[in-house]
Amino acid sequence: MIFSKKEADIYIPDQTKFRDATHRTTHLAIGAHQDDLEIFAYHGIASCFDHESKSFGGITITNGSGSSRTGEFADHSDKWMMALRREEQRKAADLGKYSFVVQLDYESSEVKDGENLHVSNDILKVLSACSAETIYLHNPADKHPTHIGVLKKSLDALRKLPEGMKPKKLYACEVWRDLDWLLDEDKVALDASLYPDLASELLKVFRTQIAGGKRYDLATLGRRRANATYYNSHAADAETELTWAIDLMPLLRDPSLTLEGFTLSLVDRFRMDIKKQLKGF
Ligand SMILES: [Zn+2]
């Protein structure tokens, strides 16, 4: 498969042919940076881990250039950091036994450029080769502009898929902003409790990100734990760890529905809920 960037990287841990690796993929996640898949799509990774008929694939859109660097990585050049981050993503794919991971090597600025069609074309190529029934994306209330850029490019690509190839489940998940604020009926609870050691090890792979003291590994596991405990004030925790997600299928079913309109309607429902509670007493 030929992608727009010549440095795009296809990695298949068990060295199956790419065509077969995409074909066997049932769960697919599309993230902006090396480590995003492991933070927001752990539900998919764990659901497929060592499973005989399920397989997880990942697409990481950017090349990790311009990433912040501290501690032991403070003096590394952009090029060196990009190589390290690419290797970390490959290691995570090994550890999580992914079907494949594709790193498309875009700059953040290209992802945020509404005129750039290459990103969504590349995503569409992978989507068309996969038979993924469940897809995980960034969420539309995320505060990282590159995450929103990737979400929009992914939706553009998904909307171009022929009807029979569209996923059955499309989840938008948490990274830079959690989704606890959504009304319970507006969010989907994705169980992230399986294989706790794997969950932790996958996050620790990204040493370039956490070595300077930014403990994404601890924060991500802590968030999942908090999501499970604060879900229901009366019941004991059914799952010990949860990722919250928004069901984005309405956007695939209705091409006239905008991402902005859809998301703000969820915010309005949140607002009305607070209003009702406060008025009630
Ligand atoms: Zn990210």
Side-chain angles (χ1 to χ4, degrees):
M1 189 172 288
I2 309 292
F3 295 111
S4 168
K5 300 281 186 180
K6 69 176 191 311
E7 296 295 322
D9 181 66
I10 297 174
Y11 182 67
I12 301 162
D14 69 359
Q15 295 172 1
T16 301
K17 281 186 184 152
F18 188 51
R19 183 198 293 198
D20 298 329
T22 50
H23 193 69
R24 70 186 169 186
T25 299
T26 54
H27 294 58
L28 178 75
I30 308 171
H33 307 104
Q34 292 79 1
D35 79 354
D36 281 331
L37 308 178
E38 290 69 24
I39 292 172
F40 78 72
Y42 182 68
H43 174 261
I45 297 168
S47 300
C48 299
F49 188 74
D50 269 342
H51 198 284
E52 110 193 3
S53 58
K54 294 179 184 172
S55 201
F56 177 85
I59 309 176
T60 294
I61 306 291
T62 69
N63 56 19
S65 67
S67 58
S68 67
R69 57 210 72 176
T70 48
E72 68 188 277
F73 300 101
D75 298 328
H76 282 34
S77 69
D78 230 22
K79 214 170 166 189
W80 196 357
M81 280 299 276
M82 282 159 61
L84 283 175
R85 294 195 70 179
R86 174 173 290 202
E87 207 42 49
E88 287 174 343
Q89 185 63 80
R90 284 171 158 228
K91 261 190 218 163
D94 280 331
L95 200 61
K97 301 185 181 177
Y98 301 176
S99 183
F100 70 88
V101 69
V102 173
Q103 302 190 61
L104 290 176
D105 200 46
Y106 283 97
E107 304 278 336
S108 283
S109 56
E110 294 173 301
V111 172
K112 290 180 278 187
D113 176 3
E115 306 287 305
N116 184 312
L117 298 176
H118 298 297
V119 183
S120 57
N121 282 344
D122 279 356
I123 294 172
L124 184 57
K125 280 181 194 168
V126 182
L127 286 172
S128 304
C130 288
S131 51
E133 291 196 349
T134 305
I135 295 186
Y136 305 83
L137 304 176
H138 285 292
N139 90 74
D142 194 292
K143 65 182 171 185
H144 197 308
T146 311
H147 290 188
I148 297 299
V150 166
L151 169 64
K152 286 188 142 186
K153 303 290 187 202
S154 305
L155 266 181
D156 287 348
L158 279 157
R159 281 180 152 169
K160 284 184 189 148
L161 274 179
E163 218 41 61
M165 291 200 67
K166 289 198 166 99
K168 297 203 168 40
K169 289 174 181 166
L170 185 60
Y171 297 127
C173 312
E174 306 163 300
V175 185
W176 283 101
R177 252 190 213 142
D178 65 42
L179 294 170
D180 175 73
W181 56 272
L182 284 158
L183 301 193
D184 283 349
E185 55 265 40
D186 289 339
K187 64 191 178 216
V188 184
L190 302 177
D191 182 9
S193 319
L194 279 175
Y195 313 114
D197 291 342
L198 175 67
S200 171
E201 291 307 314
L202 275 173
L203 295 163
K204 284 186 194 150
V205 161
F206 300 93
R207 286 198 59 242
T208 58
Q209 302 308 292
I210 60 180
K214 195 93 174 136
R215 295 301 303 270
Y216 294 106
D217 54 336
L218 300 180
T220 301
L221 297 177
R223 171 190 279 163
R224 290 178 193 158
R225 168 75 58 158
N227 283 347
T229 298
Y230 288 107
Y231 182 17
N232 186 328
S233 57
H234 300 300
D237 306 346
E239 283 94 13
T240 53
E241 303 195 31
L242 284 182
T243 298
W244 289 126
I246 303 173
D247 174 9
L248 292 187
M249 284 304 286
L251 288 157
L252 284 195
R253 287 191 208 105
D254 178 1
S256 68
L257 190 56
T258 65
L259 188 57
E260 183 186 331
F262 172 74
T263 309
L264 292 182
S265 73
L266 298 173
V267 176
D268 287 343
R269 285 165 58 79
F270 174 52
R271 182 176 176 276
M272 290 309 293
D273 188 62
I274 293 174
K275 192 172 172 181
K276 195 172 93 198
Q277 282 256 60
L278 292 174
K279 271 194 158 177
F281 297 95

